[in-house]
Amino acid sequence: QTLYVLLGVAYLGGFPHLVRTWEAEGPDAAQRWLRRIAQGQGLLAGACCAVALPLSPWIAVLAFGPDVGAQAGPLMPWIALAATLAGLRLFLCDLPFQLLKRSGVPLVGSALVAACSLLGNLWLVPAHGAQGAAWVAAGAMALGLLFSYGLGRRSGLTPALGADALKLLACVALAAWTVHQLAPAAPGARVALEFAALGAVALLGYGALALALNLGGLRTWVLGRLRRR
């Protein structure tokens, strides 16, 4: 829910500018705005994943209590990943089709995700239960994201995001690995305090890596702001 709110805010902040740019300046300028929206949403999504993936046992205990949380913990990383991919598809990769008034493309993408989810659940849930359903959710959302991104690239509006995606994956993976090394094996008695401390480490590590790799143009933006002062 937190991630959807953040991505929704980024969408609402950028989409009116995108529409005005599309109408006034054409596809090339609109693609530049789409890149800016993608950079902002990528930074937000990466920050959420850097916290949610390594700290899923703590989130599960805080959300459901110690008894249910112990069982839900292994599912949480896959659920967080599925939510991230679904949000990026909805608030980013489907934007070109809104500009082009091709509403059928997102509908086809949703149907593809639903079909993959149904078939995947029929295949994996009998053997793996809820864990299998979580795997299927993440895989189906990844397929939907790639579908929308690929058609968006063919439309000429979606910018190439491969390099940015690799930087994002590197930042999230390194930040999550660092937290995993520092975190205890399981949540202790002070779950909220542990989560706050480890979450701060995750965000600081992710931010430092994002600055170092200039993820989403973050270092360029920070240096530009400092020069203005």
Side-chain angles (χ1 to χ4, degrees):
Q1 290 177 345
T2 301
L3 176 61
Y4 262 77
V5 169
L6 292 173
L7 293 180
V9 169
Y11 167 81
L12 292 174
F15 189 67
H17 296 283
L18 177 63
V19 173
R20 286 197 296 268
T21 302
W22 165 260
E23 293 175 346
E25 303 178 41
D28 292 340
Q31 188 183 72
R32 290 193 292 271
W33 254 108
L34 274 170
R35 177 173 291 281
R36 294 181 65 179
I37 294 173
Q39 289 174 337
Q41 292 193 6
L43 283 169
L44 291 173
C48 288
C49 286
V51 174
L53 296 182
L55 297 180
S56 56
W58 283 261
I59 296 173
V61 170
L62 289 171
F64 305 115
D67 294 332
V68 178
Q71 302 175 19
L75 308 178
M76 296 295 285
W78 299 99
I79 294 173
L81 180 60
T84 301
L85 296 172
L88 290 174
R89 173 176 165 258
L90 175 64
F91 294 117
L92 175 62
C93 291
D94 285 346
L95 291 186
F97 311 119
Q98 297 179 31
L99 295 178
L100 296 169
K101 299 180 180 179
R102 294 170 57 187
S103 58
V105 175
L107 291 176
V108 172
S110 297
L112 177 64
V113 169
C116 291
S117 297
L118 176 61
L119 294 175
N121 285 326
L122 290 174
W123 178 33
L124 290 179
V125 168
H128 301 282
Q131 186 68 65
W135 293 339
V136 170
M141 295 306 173
L143 186 60
L145 177 68
L146 291 173
F147 173 82
S148 292
Y149 175 73
L151 290 185
R153 288 290 295 152
R154 289 185 61 185
S155 75
L157 283 179
T158 300
L161 300 173
D164 290 331
L166 290 176
K167 289 181 182 180
L168 178 63
L169 290 173
C171 290
V172 171
L174 288 172
W177 179 83
T178 301
V179 173
H180 182 71
Q181 298 303 309
L182 296 174
R190 300 179 176 178
V191 180
L193 183 60
E194 290 176 358
F195 175 75
L198 292 170
V201 171
L203 290 176
L204 287 172
Y206 174 79
L209 290 164
L211 281 171
L213 295 178
N214 198 27
L215 176 63
L218 181 62
R219 186 176 69 234
T220 302
W221 180 82
V222 170
L223 292 176
R225 298 285 292 184
L226 292 174
R227 290 193 190 101
R228 291 174 191 173
R229 293 184 178 181

